[in-house]
Amino acid sequence: LKILVFLISLIFFGIASAQDRYIAKIAVVDIESVLENSLAITSIKKSVNVLSQNIQEDISKQEKELKAHEQKLLEVQKTMSQEKFDSLVAKFNKDVSRTKKNIQLRKIALEQAHSQSIQVVHQKIISIISELAKDYNLNIVLPSSQVLYITSELNITLEVISKLNDSLKEVPVNYQKFLKNQLLLSKR
C-alpha cells in the first residue's frame, strides 16, 4: 500500500511539474510610449536639431557665396577672352560640386550619428526588459502593439520608462566622429 501511494504521488507530482514547464508567463511593453517618454531620446532630438540647424545655416552661407561668385563671373565675362572665362567657369563648377559633396557628407554623418545614438537607447531598453523578465520570471515579453488584449497588471511599460530615465538621461550624438569618417572615406 505504501508503494502504491508513493507511485501515485510520484506520478501526480511528475505530471504537475511537467505542466509547469509549459506555463507561459507573459508581459507587454509599449515601446512607442517608452521612446516618447525617454529623457535620452529627448536629449538626442535636441542635439540633432541643433546640429541640423547649424548645417542648414552653413549651407545657406555657402549658397550665398556661390551665388555671389557666379554673379561676379557673369560680370567679368565680357572683359576677358572666352578661353579664360571657360577656365573660370570650370573652376566654379568644381567648387559647386565640392560644396554639394561636402553638404551630402555632413547630412550622412548626422544621420549615422543619430542612428547610433538611438541604437544605444534601444540596447538599454532591451537590457531593462531582460532584467525585468528575470525579476518577474517572465518567459515572453511582447510589444503591446502586437497584442489585442492584455490586463494592465501584465504591462511593464511604466517600469521600463522609469528604469530607462533613471539610468540613461542623455546620449551623446557623435556627429564629429561620423563626419571625420565620411571625410576620410570620400578621400579614397
Side-chain angles (χ1 to χ4, degrees):
L1 185 63
K2 288 183 181 181
I3 295 175
L4 184 61
V5 170
F6 176 74
L7 288 174
I8 291 173
S9 65
L10 184 65
I11 290 171
F12 175 75
F13 288 115
I15 291 171
S17 66
Q19 287 175 341
D20 286 346
R21 283 186 278 180
Y22 300 110
I23 295 176
K25 296 176 184 173
I26 300 172
V28 296
V29 176
D30 183 350
I31 297 297
E32 288 178 25
S33 181
V34 171
L35 294 174
E36 286 173 9
N37 293 291
S38 165
L39 297 175
I41 293 291
T42 302
S43 82
I44 291 169
K45 285 179 182 177
K46 285 180 184 175
S47 296
V48 168
N49 285 340
V50 167
L51 288 166
S52 185
Q53 186 176 6
N54 290 343
I55 290 170
Q56 192 57 48
E57 288 171 3
D58 195 36
I59 290 170
S60 295
K61 179 183 168 190
Q62 289 176 358
E63 285 176 347
K64 285 180 184 176
E65 290 171 1
L66 288 172
K67 284 182 182 182
H69 188 70
E70 180 182 33
Q71 191 61 39
K72 284 181 185 177
L73 274 176
L74 293 173
E75 289 171 7
V76 298
Q77 179 181 11
K78 297 173 185 162
T79 64
M80 63 179 65
S81 69
Q82 187 63 37
E83 188 177 303
K84 175 81 171 158
F85 179 73
D86 289 345
S87 170
L88 290 175
V89 169
K91 183 182 180 303
F92 174 75
N93 287 336
K94 283 183 182 178
D95 289 344
V96 170
S97 292
R98 191 177 317 113
T99 300
K100 284 182 179 180
K101 185 176 181 180
N102 189 344
I103 289 167
Q104 190 64 28
L105 292 176
R106 293 176 72 183
K107 287 180 178 181
I108 290 170
L110 183 57
E111 288 174 19
Q112 289 174 335
H114 178 254
S115 186
Q116 187 260 344
S117 297
I118 295 294
Q119 185 62 33
V120 168
V121 177
H122 280 275
Q123 288 171 347
K124 188 63 177 175
I125 291 170
I126 297 299
S127 170
I128 290 168
I129 291 171
S130 296
E131 177 185 315
L132 289 172
K134 287 177 188 170
D135 291 349
Y136 294 130
N137 293 321
L138 302 170
N139 331 63
I140 301 171
V141 179
L142 299 169
S144 61
S145 63
Q146 302 298 314
V147 178
L148 295 175
Y149 174 79
I150 196 151
T151 62
S152 61
E153 305 88 56
L154 300 176
N155 189 336
I156 59 173
T157 302
L158 294 177
E159 289 177 81
V160 174
I161 293 170
S162 177
K163 286 182 176 284
L164 179 63
N165 287 339
D166 287 345
S167 62
L168 192 65
K169 293 178 181 18
E170 290 184 24
V171 175
V173 178
N174 296 317
Y175 169 71
Q176 291 300 326
K177 172 186 152 191
F178 285 97
L179 182 59
K180 286 179 186 176
N181 288 344
Q182 284 299 317
L183 292 172
L184 287 173
L185 289 173
S186 71
K187 291 180 182 179
R188 290 183 182 175

